[in-house]
Amino acid sequence: MAPPSSSSTTTSASEAPKLEKTIRLNGKGGEKAQDGSSDLKRDPVEVKYREFFWTYTEEPHRTRRLAIIKAHPEVTKLCGPEPLTIYVVLGVVALQVFCAYTLRNTSFFSPYYWLLAYVVGATANQNLFMAIHEISHNLAFRSPTANRLFAIVANLPIGIPYSASFRPYHLTHHKSLGVDGLDTDLPTALEAIFLDSILGKAFFCTFQIFFYAIRPMCVYSVPFTWVSAVNVLVQALFDVVILKTLGGNAMLYFLLSSFLAGSLHPLAGHFIAEHYVYETVTPTQKNPDNRIPVPETYSYYGPLNFLVYNVGLHNEHHDFPAVPWTRLPELNRIASEFYSELPHHRSWTYVLWRFIFDESVGIRCRVKRKEGGRLVGQRSDWKKNELEA
């Protein structure tokens, strides 16, 4: 769907076509000025979106990164690999193999089987999803090749090979944030048509792991490299060994853990919290011309970050992808004046709840741009792109 033409920086919900919108102020009285200059919070806001947010400016992270470096040049010293990631990954992989071993003779239909898969397995595999995300930025080893191969190790308890293809898709997400047709984190028009309801959003949240696995391949394909071949072969060998030695129940434990990790699980809230627009997230920022912008990245500041490599510090991560998880809190502390007033989340569980039941949040609540950034993985400079953090 092509964006409507506009001279403003962002087409917000109030400017989008086919929109139904009702606003209740927070009880302070008065009316909101047309230019958005009022300090009154829209709390609560009832909005039913019928269009994406289209913006005509570049993504905000490069601009903020340059501003932060200018104000705090010492932040560049935070960049570089974090060896602790290696030991955490090996420990979680070992934990998952041990759990699969304990369940080898337990019925798939046993409540204990599902409880262990949800509480331990889904948490562990979500940790490994985020480990692969961390490693995709070359933040475990200094050697790019070592990072590619170690991501394959982290992939093992997930059951399905995906670490090799994840990296080019994810780097494109960074370099082309919100670009229609390039950023595969964006919902497709088909998803927006069929999932724009409470039942549709509940279906999306329950099976979002499949959307994130299948959607990229439907948008564009990345080259099949030697790393991809190793990823497939090693994963297939691991799966066969598990089936032969521990049996089908053990293998199903890995697959169920992966499914639950991307379903109605508290940690799965980060998939939605990172880039979906939640208007009532506090506080609201204003840009210099006094218009209220639509933020396109949101951080989460809560205890669950401990389990997933601080992925909740998502504005910080997009501003500085080369800063590892252990140093993102320090980045936030040093550049606190840049982050303290940005809209953010406090609960991933509440993010999921609101996404499903609140009509002001939906599949179309994403910021899109028609062009900008670039595709990683389909050009002649593939090898160069592979080495970029």
Side-chain angles (χ1 to χ4, degrees):
M1 184 184 298
S5 31
S6 169
S7 58
S8 63
T9 56
T10 305
T11 302
S12 69
S14 62
E15 299 167 279
K18 301 180 183 177
L19 186 65
E20 302 167 6
K21 182 171 184 177
T22 304
I23 298 176
R24 294 205 306 268
L25 298 178
N26 64 353
K28 295 183 179 179
E31 294 185 357
K32 183 179 177 65
Q34 291 299 314
D35 64 357
S37 60
S38 170
D39 288 328
L40 293 176
K41 294 179 182 178
R42 297 189 292 180
D43 185 20
V45 179
E46 295 183 39
V47 184
K48 191 165 187 179
Y49 293 97
R50 291 289 178 258
E51 181 56 277
F52 289 100
F53 294 94
W54 286 97
T55 185
Y56 300 87
T57 62
E58 69 174 0
E59 56 89 9
H61 298 289
R62 179 179 179 275
T63 301
R64 187 161 57 235
R65 176 167 59 249
L66 296 175
I68 290 174
I69 292 174
K70 183 177 180 180
H72 305 284
E74 67 273 21
V75 299
T76 58
K77 297 179 181 179
L78 300 175
C79 299
E82 172 51 82
L84 179 60
T85 303
I86 302 167
Y87 302 104
V88 175
V89 167
L90 293 176
V92 175
V93 169
L95 172 65
Q96 281 294 77
V97 172
F98 174 75
C99 288
Y101 173 80
T102 63
L103 292 176
R104 67 192 186 283
N105 296 321
T106 304
S107 170
F108 177 78
F109 301 102
S110 166
Y112 173 73
Y113 189 105
W114 280 76
L115 181 64
L116 188 65
Y118 186 84
V119 176
V120 178
T123 302
N125 275 15
Q126 185 67 250
N127 176 278
L128 293 173
F129 290 157
M130 294 304 101
I132 292 170
H133 165 263
E134 190 79 4
I135 297 165
S136 73
H137 291 285
N138 292 331
L139 294 177
F141 295 90
R142 293 194 178 278
S143 163
T145 301
N147 280 291
R148 300 303 151 268
L149 297 177
F150 192 61
I152 295 172
V153 175
N155 195 150
L156 294 177
I158 293 169
I160 298 172
Y162 90 101
S163 64
S165 60
F166 171 80
R167 186 171 190 268
Y169 283 122
H170 182 66
L171 293 189
T172 300
H173 166 65
H174 273 267
K175 297 175 185 299
S176 304
L177 181 66
V179 178
D180 195 31
L182 288 183
D183 185 357
T184 57
D185 191 67
L186 291 168
T188 62
L190 200 61
E191 292 170 66
I193 292 171
F194 288 102
L195 302 175
D196 187 25
S197 65
I198 289 179
L199 288 178
K201 291 187 291 181
F203 180 86
F204 177 80
C205 288
T206 303
F207 298 99
Q208 61 179 312
I209 191 69
F210 295 113
F211 286 93
Y212 282 100
I214 297 171
R215 183 196 297 146
M217 295 182 290
C218 295
V219 177
Y220 62 86
S221 60
V222 296
F224 190 84
T225 67
W226 69 269
V227 180
S228 307
V230 173
N231 188 192
V232 172
L233 291 173
V234 170
Q235 189 66 55
L237 179 62
F238 176 82
D239 292 351
V240 168
V241 169
I242 292 296
L243 284 169
K244 293 290 186 182
T245 58
L246 301 183
N249 283 346
M251 190 65 225
L252 280 175
Y253 168 75
F254 290 139
L255 298 176
L256 181 60
S257 296
S258 295
F259 168 73
L260 294 174
S263 185
L264 297 176
H265 189 280
L267 295 182
H270 84 85
F271 290 121
I272 292 172
E274 291 165 358
H275 296 292
Y276 280 84
V277 177
Y278 280 63
E279 275 207 334
T280 57
V281 174
T282 184
T284 301
Q285 264 203 323
K286 296 176 184 176
N287 60 16
D289 68 0
N290 222 22
R291 293 180 62 85
I292 298 178
V294 178
E296 49 191 295
T297 303
Y298 296 85
S299 288
Y300 155 79
Y301 301 118
L304 295 183
N305 276 316
F306 175 77
L307 299 172
V308 283
Y309 298 90
N310 283 325
V311 72
L313 279 70
H314 215 64
N315 269 302
E316 294 84 344
H317 169 65
H318 269 267
D319 290 349
F320 291 89
V323 173
W325 60 283
T326 53
R327 298 172 210 150
L328 287 176
E330 180 65 8
L331 169 63
N332 177 279
R333 186 194 67 80
I334 292 173
S336 59
E337 71 273 24
F338 290 89
Y339 296 116
S340 61
E341 292 303 311
L342 291 177
H344 57 271
H345 296 283
R346 290 290 183 182
S347 169
W348 277 334
T349 303
Y350 185 54
V351 162
L352 288 172
W353 178 268
R354 275 201 61 200
F355 183 81
I356 294 173
F357 294 105
D358 189 342
E359 286 191 338
S360 71
V361 186
I363 297 294
R364 288 183 170 92
C365 288
R366 290 294 297 264
V367 175
K368 281 191 175 186
R369 44 181 56 83
K370 193 61 180 174
E371 56 188 26
R374 60 191 177 89
L375 178 66
V376 175
Q378 281 199 321
R379 296 184 179 175
S380 58
D381 58 349
W382 165 254
K383 185 174 181 180
K384 177 184 176 182
N385 289 327
E386 270 290 287
L387 301 178
E388 292 180 355

